[in-house]
């Protein structure tokens, strides 16, 4: 982990730190463009070839259905089912609070405006399954999709060594009432959902996190098809703000929790205490050695850094520039700095709040913007699965009241037909 002192950093140093590993872009873009065009032209055949090439599996069928899903779901222990049920309940509770209930407004006499919510009809959920299979991501995407009432929910996840999905993914599918899962991963899954293949229907919007191939594919199909995406949700990252009240054992554990996701993950420590930084570095060494994914975590930590700041205010300045996917406030004084937060995907407040809680089971969604997209995007929520359609109704007093203003505005824009659409009604209502 590289170490910096905030007061020694120039603006361009800060820009460099904030850019993460953006220089990987071009090479990955070319590869992903190639995958997308192959899927567009050769459909299912291309998907089977990529399963062989990247996942090392020969697939007789690109999907599994209800019977096999139920059999696989039965293979998991009661203890795991219970834990998944706890997560399911909390995530559902939190997302149900997001059901919107807007009222109609009469903006001026006789003119009523309102919005009505409609579910996006066909959604595609990408559940990562490369270096780790993530049933938790299935909960995070499937629950709001179901609450929203999406008619068709297409689920893609990379095939496992068994040529199928694992029992945990199957159990979540069963809980959500999803009867089909496509065994397709990576950029090819995104291409399939954006263009459609013989087996996989084209969807209106693609959701879900993934590695750099998945994230690049989402970004590309968004600009070349009419399929939307949730957001760029790439390699996981965390920024921990720690003061002298922080516990270095907890801080190191939180940094490693995101570092173990992938070699391209970033774990950033911003602290007003030099000794907390030192002790955390020692803890990192200790804790990393017992991790099964220690090689991955070690690479990510190597690509990560710490910044020594003068106080919590300066820590927040850096954090807002970095715009982390996850922001942990490892301080007893967290309430004093939450008003200063401008950019973050999700915030974990106080020393007893591990980021893992949000990853799994507290209720908030873990599909969040990475690579500084937290500056402009929110994480996935119920809103991501719906459209809000505006309506208006104008009665006779409304057109009499508002019509003349519309006529003037149309006139100054030189749009006579717009003006006429009002004038003919005004003439009619005057009799
Ligand atoms: N931002 C978020 O909200 C969030 C949430 C969960 C996970 N994540 C991130 O998701 C990522 C999951 O990545 P993963 O790799 O484990 O799973 P993944 O499912 O995203 O990717 C696996 C697929 O990548 C493709 N692939 C692998 N190597 C390739 C290559 N050389 N060329 C082309 N395609 C290739 C294969 O098709 C494989 O099936 C991690 O980076 C994790 O940090 C982010
Ligand atoms: N931390 C990931 C989001 O960046 C989500 C996740 C899934 N499982 C564990 N963690
Ligand atoms: Zn995680």
């Amino acid at each position: 982990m590289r170490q910096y002192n905030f007061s020694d950093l120039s603006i361009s140093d800060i820009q460099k730190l904030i850019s993460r590993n953006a220089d990987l872009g071009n090479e990955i873009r070319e590869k992903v463009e190639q995958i997308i065009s192959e899927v567009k032209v050769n459909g299912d055949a291309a998907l089977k070839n990529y399963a062989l090439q990247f996942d090392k599996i020969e697939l007789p069928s690109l999907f599994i259905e209800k019977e096999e899903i139920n059999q696989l779901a039965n293979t998991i222990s009661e203890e795991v089912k219970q834990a998944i049920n706890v997560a399911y309940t909390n995530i559902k509770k939190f997302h149900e609070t997001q059901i919107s209930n807007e009222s109609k407004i009469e903006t001026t006499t006789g003119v009523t405006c309102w919005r009505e919510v409609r579910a996006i009809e066909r959604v595609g959920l990408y559940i990562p399954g490369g270096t780790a299979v993530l049933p938790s991501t299935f909960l995070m995407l499937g629950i709001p999709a179901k609450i929203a009432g999406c008619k068709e929910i297409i689920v893609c996840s990379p095939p496992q060594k068994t040529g199928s999905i694992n029992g945990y993914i199957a159990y979540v599918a069963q809980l959500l009432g999803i009867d089909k899962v496509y065994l397709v991963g990576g950029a090819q899954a995104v291409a399939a959902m954006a263009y459609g293949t013989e087996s996989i229907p084209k969807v209106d919007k693609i959701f879900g996190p993934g590695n750099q191939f998945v994230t690049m594919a989402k970004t590309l199909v968004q600009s070349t098809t009419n399929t939307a995406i949730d957001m760029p949700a790439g390699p996981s990252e965390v920024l921990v703000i720690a003061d002298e009240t922080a516990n270095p054992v907890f801080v190191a554990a939180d940094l490693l929790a995101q570092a173990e996701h992938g070699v391209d993950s970033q774990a950033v420590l911003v602290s007003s205490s030099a000794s907390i930084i030192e002790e955390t570095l020692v803890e990192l060494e200790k804790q990393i050695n017992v991790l099964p994914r220690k090689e991955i975590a070690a690479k990510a930590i190597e690509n990560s850094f710490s910044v020594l700041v003068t106080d919590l205010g300066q820590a927040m300045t850096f954090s807002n520039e970095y715009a982390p996917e996850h922001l942990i406030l490892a301080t007893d004084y967290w309430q004093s700095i939450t008003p200063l937060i401008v950019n973050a995907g999700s915030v974990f407040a106080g020393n007893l709040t591990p980021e893992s809680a949000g990853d799994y089971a507290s209720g908030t969604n873990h599909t969040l913007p990475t690579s500084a997209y937290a500056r402009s995007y929110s994480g996935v929520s119920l809103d991501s699965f719906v459209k809000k359609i505006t309506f208006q109704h104008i009665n006779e007093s409304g057109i009499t009241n508002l019509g003349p203003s519309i006529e003037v505005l149309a006139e100054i824009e030189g749009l006579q037909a717009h003006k006429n659409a009002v004038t003919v009604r005004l003439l009619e209502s005057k009799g």
Side-chain angles (χ1 to χ4, degrees):
M1 185 177 254
R2 286 161 287 147
Q3 288 178 260
Y4 301 99
N5 190 322
F6 188 80
S7 56
D8 299 336
L9 293 173
S10 66
I11 291 178
S12 80
D13 292 335
I14 294 176
Q15 288 309 329
K16 231 186 239 156
L17 291 176
I18 287 162
S19 71
R20 282 73 161 178
N21 304 313
D23 52 327
L24 291 170
N26 268 345
E27 201 185 311
I28 290 184
R29 172 186 282 266
E30 280 164 23
K31 189 163 196 183
V32 169
E33 278 170 345
Q34 173 64 37
I35 293 173
I36 292 174
S37 66
E38 186 66 24
V39 172
K40 213 170 132 183
V41 175
N42 294 318
D44 284 356
L47 298 178
K48 287 187 178 177
N49 282 340
Y50 284 127
L52 201 54
Q53 186 180 340
F54 297 132
D55 306 304
K56 312 282 174 259
I57 193 93
E58 195 166 345
L59 290 176
S61 167
L62 283 170
F63 54 83
I64 63 158
E65 292 186 280
K66 196 169 182 177
E67 203 180 323
E68 191 175 345
I69 289 174
N70 289 343
Q71 278 168 8
L72 286 167
N74 280 337
T75 61
I76 73 171
S77 72
E78 273 312 307
E79 187 196 9
V80 174
K81 283 186 184 170
Q82 282 318 312
I84 292 177
N85 292 349
V86 168
Y88 176 87
T89 306
N90 292 344
I91 297 163
K92 188 159 175 276
K93 261 190 217 161
F94 184 66
H95 287 76
E96 276 171 347
T97 66
Q98 297 161 12
I99 295 172
S100 85
N101 197 9
E102 292 179 15
S103 48
K104 292 185 176 180
I105 170 114
E106 192 170 25
T107 52
T108 185
T109 305
V111 178
T112 308
C113 300
W114 71 99
R115 296 204 300 177
E116 291 188 17
V117 176
R118 298 288 186 275
I120 297 173
E121 289 184 285
R122 270 173 252 102
V123 295
L125 313 185
Y126 183 76
I127 314 303
T131 61
V133 183
L134 304 181
S136 55
T137 301
F138 199 179
L139 290 170
M140 296 293 173
L141 300 178
I143 291 170
K146 279 284 171 184
I147 298 172
C150 299
K151 266 197 201 140
E152 210 174 332
I153 302 177
I154 305 301
V155 178
C156 285
S157 194
Q160 300 305 295
K161 297 278 165 278
T162 55
S164 188
I165 53 171
N166 74 19
Y168 311 123
I169 296 284
Y171 182 66
V172 174
Q174 201 181 52
L175 265 184
L176 293 168
I178 288 173
D179 295 339
K180 202 175 206 177
V181 175
Y182 293 94
L183 305 167
V184 185
Q188 57 276 23
V190 175
M193 292 190 279
Y195 288 97
T197 70
E198 299 89 323
S199 305
I200 303 185
K202 171 178 168 41
V203 301
D204 302 317
K205 187 167 179 180
I206 298 171
F207 294 79
N211 61 19
Q212 300 202 334
F213 303 103
V214 172
T215 308
M216 176 62 78
K218 282 171 64 186
T219 311
L220 290 174
V221 299
Q222 179 187 35
S223 58
T224 50
T225 69
N226 57 7
T227 297
I229 64 164
D230 49 357
M231 80 198 89
S236 302
E237 51 191 46
V238 64
L239 185 147
V240 182
I241 292 182
D243 67 2
E244 68 292 346
T245 68
N247 180 335
V249 177
F250 297 178
V251 174
D254 289 339
L255 293 170
L256 288 170
Q258 291 315 294
E260 76 170 348
H261 271 295
V263 293
D264 43 12
S265 292
Q266 265 213 338
V268 178
L269 172 59
V270 182
S271 181
S272 50
S273 158
S275 59
I276 288 286
I277 294 181
E278 246 171 65
E279 288 168 55
T280 302
L281 293 178
V282 172
E283 264 305 315
L284 279 173
E285 289 297 318
K286 264 198 232 163
Q287 293 185 27
I288 206 166
N289 280 323
V290 297
L291 293 177
R293 291 162 71 90
K294 71 175 166 206
E295 279 84 18
I296 294 176
K299 258 264 174 292
I301 291 292
E302 207 180 293
N303 293 329
S304 299
F305 59 91
S306 69
V307 183
L308 179 65
V309 290
T310 49
D311 53 29
L312 289 175
Q314 198 173 62
M316 275 313 317
T317 303
F318 184 82
S319 176
N320 282 329
E321 283 299 315
Y322 187 85
E325 178 195 14
H326 305 105
L327 170 60
I328 299 182
L329 306 179
T331 162
D332 292 344
Y333 306 110
W334 60 269
Q335 278 163 317
S336 69
I337 52 170
T338 50
L340 304 178
I341 299 170
V342 182
N343 301 318
S346 194
V347 178
F348 302 81
N351 283 308
L352 284 182
T353 314
E355 188 277 337
S356 305
D359 274 353
Y360 290 109
S362 54
T364 60
N365 206 290
H366 81 203
T367 311
L368 297 163
T370 56
S371 312
Y373 279 105
R375 288 168 174 278
S376 52
Y377 281 93
S378 313
V380 163
S381 71
L382 191 59
D383 281 351
S384 319
F385 290 88
V386 300
K387 297 142 320 184
K388 293 180 178 174
I389 305 173
T390 54
F391 289 74
Q392 55 202 282
H393 173 71
I394 300 182
N395 63 21
E396 199 170 331
S397 56
I399 197 73
T400 312
N401 179 21
L402 188 61
S405 301
I406 302 169
E407 286 181 311
V408 171
L409 292 168
E411 186 78 47
I412 64 166
E413 291 192 349
L415 298 175
Q416 191 61 39
H418 285 64
K419 181 180 175 187
N420 284 347
V422 172
T423 311
V424 290
R425 287 179 168 81
L426 286 175
L427 289 174
E428 174 86 12
S429 63
K430 276 182 196 145

